[in-house]
Amino acid sequence: AQTVTQSQPEMSVQEAETVTLSCTYDTSESDYYLFWYKQPPSRQMILVIRQEAYKQQNATENRFSVNFQKAAKSFSLKISDSQLGDAAMYFCAQGYSSASKIIFGSGTRLSIRP
Amino acid sequence: DAGVIQSPRHEVTEMGQEVTLRCKPISGHDYLFWYRQTMMRGLELLIYFNNNVPIDDSGMPEDRFSAKMPNASFSTLKIQPSEPRDSAVYFCASSISGGGETQYFGPGTRLLVL
């Protein structure tokens, strides 16, 4: 069964510093996609970044970047220059070309210290 | 585009009452997903539709839950009769296609069953 694991229930970072959120996954499929979603206190689920497994280049989106290690089945999210507005739950997720479901991890709650 | 629209945003009802949650997906999106989020179980996929047809309802907890999509721009999730354990945040999401495409979430409906 496909699983997505986020081993850090909570993280905290000083404003303007860099933080990395961990995610590992388990799959036997070769064609898949990985996502990071952000859920701020408003509860709205917002896409942060998306990575296609066939692409070797790590996806980036402004201050957000990923470290995709396909062999290790690892997909971490790096947030640079952390801002107070980055405080949220972050969910790692995996989808497949062969299916329409997305499997979500349990989430990491990120707090930002001013 | 206005994004995925859900109504109501908050619902408080008494045990045994019927509850209907509504969703309008993003125009042009062929897939619609219903999720439930609780502290204990995280984010669970309940059911999803492709071109208005239910494809996988294996996540629907029991017969008290039903979902319909009468047309491409409207879906409902109904709970009858409601129970306190149904209290959760219910999300609707849509994607332009399946196979790992990004899902765009609505703001959610917070349901409290007393």
Side-chain angles (χ1 to χ4, degrees):
Chain A
Q2 290 88 357
T3 58
V4 177
T5 301
Q6 295 179 251
S7 58
Q8 306 153 314
E10 295 184 359
M11 292 279 286
S12 179
V13 65
Q14 192 76 30
E15 189 177 7
E17 296 294 310
T18 295
V19 64
T20 299
L21 308 184
S22 301
C23 173
T24 58
Y25 59 93
D26 186 17
T27 182
S28 57
E29 304 249 353
S30 59
D31 192 6
Y32 56 91
Y33 303 81
L34 296 162
F35 308 85
W36 279 99
Y37 280 87
K38 169 185 177 181
Q39 186 178 38
S42 67
R43 299 197 311 269
Q44 177 84 47
M45 292 283 283
I46 303 165
L47 177 70
V48 175
I49 205 162
R50 177 175 180 263
Q51 172 86 41
E52 291 94 340
Y54 64 85
K55 288 187 177 179
Q56 293 185 340
Q57 186 173 7
N58 289 326
T60 63
E61 193 68 44
N62 300 318
R63 297 182 295 106
F64 298 86
S65 62
V66 298
N67 183 6
F68 176 42
Q69 301 289 326
K70 191 170 185 177
K73 297 183 179 177
S74 170
F75 183 62
S76 59
L77 175 70
K78 185 173 81 171
I79 306 174
S80 304
D81 185 25
S82 299
Q83 300 175 2
L84 295 178
D86 295 334
M89 280 288 283
Y90 286 82
F91 292 93
C92 179
Q94 184 181 20
Y96 303 88
S97 294
S98 60
S100 299
K101 296 181 182 182
I102 291 181
I103 310 296
F104 285 86
S106 55
T108 296
R109 182 173 302 279
L110 177 66
S111 59
I112 312 294
R113 301 188 301 274
Chain B
D1 200 313
V4 177
I5 299 172
Q6 290 187 248
S7 65
R9 294 292 304 276
H10 304 273
E11 178 80 21
V12 181
T13 190
E14 293 189 347
M15 183 173 63
Q17 296 298 306
E18 178 179 293
V19 175
T20 300
L21 311 181
R22 297 173 177 79
C23 175
K24 176 179 168 55
I26 294 172
S27 177
H29 283 196
D30 289 339
Y31 282 77
L32 184 140
F33 305 82
W34 281 101
Y35 290 88
R36 177 172 69 176
Q37 186 178 36
T38 61
M39 289 292 293
M40 292 299 294
R41 301 176 67 88
L43 198 61
E44 304 172 275
L45 176 65
L46 300 177
I47 185 172
Y48 74 91
F49 295 82
N50 176 23
N51 290 323
N52 313 338
V53 177
I55 303 300
D56 185 349
D57 65 354
S58 60
M60 296 285 262
E62 48 197 278
D63 292 345
R64 297 185 297 106
F65 286 69
S66 62
K68 294 181 180 180
M69 192 166 185
N71 57 61
S73 59
F74 184 65
S75 177
T76 59
L77 178 67
K78 188 174 292 186
I79 308 173
Q80 166 65 19
S82 58
E83 296 182 3
R85 59 194 169 113
D86 302 330
S87 298
V89 180
Y90 291 82
F91 288 101
C92 176
S94 70
S95 66
I96 198 163
S97 65
E101 280 297 328
T102 300
Q103 294 182 16
Y104 295 89
F105 283 74
T109 295
R110 181 179 287 277
L111 173 65
L112 178 61
V113 183
L114 302 174

